[in-house]
Amino acid sequence: MTVRITVDRSTCQGYGQCVYEAGDLFHLDDDSISVAAADVAEDRRADAERAADVCPMQAITVE
Amino acid sequence: MGGAVIIGAGLGGLRTAESLRGSGYDGPITIVGDEPHLPYSRPPLSKEALAGGVDIAALEFRRRPALDDVTWLLGLSAVSSDLAARTVTLSDGAVLAFDGLVVASGIRPRRLPIPGPALGRHLLRTADDAEQVRAGLVAGAHVVIMGAGFIGCETAATARTLGAEVTIVALDDEPMIRPLGADLGAGMRHRHEVHGVHFHLGRTIDSFNGDGRVESVSLSDGTELPATLVIEAVGSVANTEWLDGNGLDLSDGLLVDSGMRVSTDLAPVVAVGDVARHPNALFGGPPRRIEHWNMPTETGRRAGQTLAALLGGQPPSDEPFTAMPSFWSDQYDHKLQSFGMPGNASRIAVAQGDVDGPCVVEYHDDSGLVGVVGIDRTPDLVPYRKALLARGSDSG
């Protein structure tokens, strides 16, 4: 089972809070928009959800 | 009703409820909020939502399925409490019984007693406040902002971007001087001045003038400024009056221990978020209220664990509380990020760049690095955040 992380690019404002929270799951691209890792292992779900929680724009979905 | 009663439906209340459930508490949870809205994200209120419109559905935090059975009492505030009787009285007269109480009642903007008409004066704390301010932020409006903290400066940037004339009046020598220090504060002032914001620093507003609504403001140096919209952003007051009479330490918010527990034998009580004055083993020193973005989440997580233990008849963890205070700000196209407690520093050093451009600024005290602020240098802050987190392992 894998965890799918998606970032809504139209909502993300590039604050980078997800990068600080889980730097191996997110990075900012050249437009300062967050890009999430592709599907990750189930044992990373809690880290992904923490990153989603700290997003002030609520732009991150973890499925 | 009993169970866990959470006073405050902001981020701290929400995170505490999640943590209660995550810690195995399966009894009733009631969350009381004085706004009509479910928990939502406030930081955009001075930025995106102020510029583009307040869409409360987009601002709402996701509510996890574990909270589906929470009872929400919205549009109501707590007016008094009796911890010995384990009851809270709400603004509609209802008396709510609890087994465990979560104080998440937050803060409100400070109001200064300044004479003059009230119409045209605004605060910026809630979504409804932002709607009202937004209505007045039109091209050609004369906006006077009282206070040069983050909310005042972010609002200034947004208002200027929308075409309003903007003046900031503040007693401080530079904007955001307490967290940033004078040099970086001056750098931020320069960024605003480039965009046409005017500053009257070291000044206060003596009076609001106008016939029924504010038309101008008079400053302490005699200057009179036209004003179609005034925003008061001069700090905050903790919402603790409803706890009076219970023998609690309410001298600046509500004092808690490292588990967010309130010292009282009367009932299990925890406090979270902006209202909680808590210790932090990463930085030592006296307990503090920290109005930073991530603190409701950090304190809520711990408080939920503590209250779940207490309600389950178990001793709560006595581990130290070690959370990294973190905030960011967005002004024009500049992104400012802070970690740690820069306001505690006795020595400030620019480590990369200069304060008028992209930069990283270090904040030190006798114990070493206590904070870092970066402007438009997001990736460069990652090692600093790690170094600050390592303070915990070094000292303990």
Side-chain angles (χ1 to χ4, degrees):
Chain A
M1 215 160 127
T2 57
V3 178
R4 171 157 296 177
I5 311 169
T6 48
V7 177
D8 181 343
R9 290 184 64 86
S10 64
T11 304
C12 173
Q13 293 288 328
Y15 290 124
Q17 304 303 302
C18 52
V19 177
Y20 296 123
E21 189 68 35
D24 57 338
L25 300 182
F26 298 88
H27 71 272
L28 297 184
D29 69 12
D30 292 343
D31 297 322
S32 279
I33 300 295
S34 174
V35 178
D39 297 356
V40 299
E42 181 65 29
D43 65 359
R44 302 304 310 278
R45 178 180 293 277
D47 295 327
E49 287 185 344
R50 281 178 80 118
D53 281 352
V54 298
C55 175
M57 303 309 294
Q58 298 287 290
I60 301 169
T61 308
V62 180
E63 295 166 288
Chain B
M1 196 173 285
V5 167
I6 300 176
I7 301 299
L11 180 54
L14 177 70
R15 293 286 181 252
T16 309
E18 290 172 352
S19 174
L20 276 166
R21 285 285 184 257
S23 305
Y25 171 75
D26 58 4
I29 297 178
T30 304
I31 303 183
V32 179
D34 58 356
E35 293 180 64
H37 310 298
L38 288 160
Y40 63 89
S41 182
R42 291 188 198 280
L45 296 181
S46 52
K47 313 179 204 50
E48 298 85 0
L50 195 58
V54 180
D55 176 0
I56 193 76
L59 294 177
E60 274 181 14
F61 293 112
R62 278 178 292 273
R63 293 179 302 282
R64 298 207 165 96
L67 300 190
D68 283 350
D69 61 353
V70 164
T71 302
W72 297 91
L73 300 178
L74 300 176
L76 295 171
S77 55
V79 293
S80 65
S81 55
D82 183 340
L83 297 188
R86 301 194 178 188
T87 59
V88 176
T89 301
L90 305 185
S91 48
D92 64 350
V95 177
L96 216 51
F98 65 81
D99 298 314
L101 180 66
V102 179
V103 177
S105 45
I107 55 173
R108 61 180 181 273
R110 182 185 302 281
R111 301 300 300 266
L112 300 177
I114 298 172
L119 206 60
R121 295 168 59 181
H122 295 271
L123 305 170
L124 190 50
R125 171 72 182 165
T126 68
D128 297 357
D129 292 341
E131 287 270 24
Q132 289 185 26
V133 170
R134 181 174 155 69
L137 287 185
V138 293
H142 288 273
V143 177
V144 172
I145 296 172
M146 275 177 73
F150 281 96
I151 291 174
C153 288
E154 289 172 358
T155 305
T158 304
R160 194 70 200 108
T161 304
L162 292 173
E165 298 295 322
V166 179
T167 304
I168 292 179
V169 180
L171 196 51
D172 295 326
D173 292 333
E174 293 290 357
M176 300 165 279
I177 189 169
R178 268 165 284 181
L180 301 186
D183 290 348
L184 189 52
M188 291 306 295
R189 174 169 55 78
H190 298 153
R191 289 171 173 83
H192 280 275
E193 286 171 341
V194 163
H195 285 88
V197 173
H198 301 281
F199 285 85
H200 292 262
L201 298 170
R203 305 284 183 274
T204 54
I205 292 180
D206 277 359
S207 68
F208 297 107
N209 316 310
D211 183 13
R213 75 172 288 131
V214 178
E215 293 164 9
S216 70
V217 302
S218 296
L219 307 189
S220 50
D221 63 359
T223 306
E224 186 166 339
L225 302 170
T228 57
L229 181 81
V230 175
I231 296 162
E232 300 178 38
V234 288
S236 59
V237 180
N239 293 321
T240 56
E241 290 83 354
W242 62 280
L243 292 163
D244 284 346
N246 289 294
L248 304 179
D249 182 340
L250 301 173
S251 49
D252 176 23
L254 177 53
L255 180 66
V256 296
D257 67 13
S258 59
M260 305 304 133
R261 186 181 185 182
V262 177
S263 175
T264 176
D265 296 330
L266 299 175
V269 184
V270 293
V272 299
D274 292 341
V275 75
R277 183 156 47 96
H278 59 79
N280 188 340
L282 269 189
F283 298 96
R288 291 185 188 84
R289 289 194 311 111
I290 302 179
E291 297 174 13
H292 287 185
W293 159 246
N294 67 324
M295 295 314 286
T297 294
E298 300 281 357
T299 55
R301 190 176 293 136
R302 183 63 183 267
Q305 294 164 359
T306 295
L307 191 58
L310 292 170
L311 293 175
Q314 304 294 319
S317 162
D318 59 0
E319 267 181 56
F321 179 67
T322 56
M324 175 63 63
S326 163
F327 69 85
W328 83 97
S329 184
D330 187 26
Q331 298 173 33
Y332 310 102
D333 52 352
H334 301 296
K335 289 201 158 44
L336 181 153
Q337 172 74 45
S338 165
F339 291 109
M341 302 287 289
N344 288 3
S346 52
R347 187 170 67 81
I348 302 175
V350 178
Q352 300 176 30
D354 72 79
V355 295
D356 287 322
C359 60
V360 175
V361 181
E362 297 178 359
Y363 297 76
H364 298 265
D365 72 3
D366 295 343
S367 70
L369 187 73
V370 291
V372 64
V373 175
I375 297 181
D376 301 328
R377 297 289 289 262
T378 300
D380 298 317
L381 296 184
V382 172
Y384 282 99
R385 183 175 182 272
K386 282 190 182 134
L388 286 164
L389 279 168
R391 288 175 59 94
S393 45
D394 288 351
S395 63

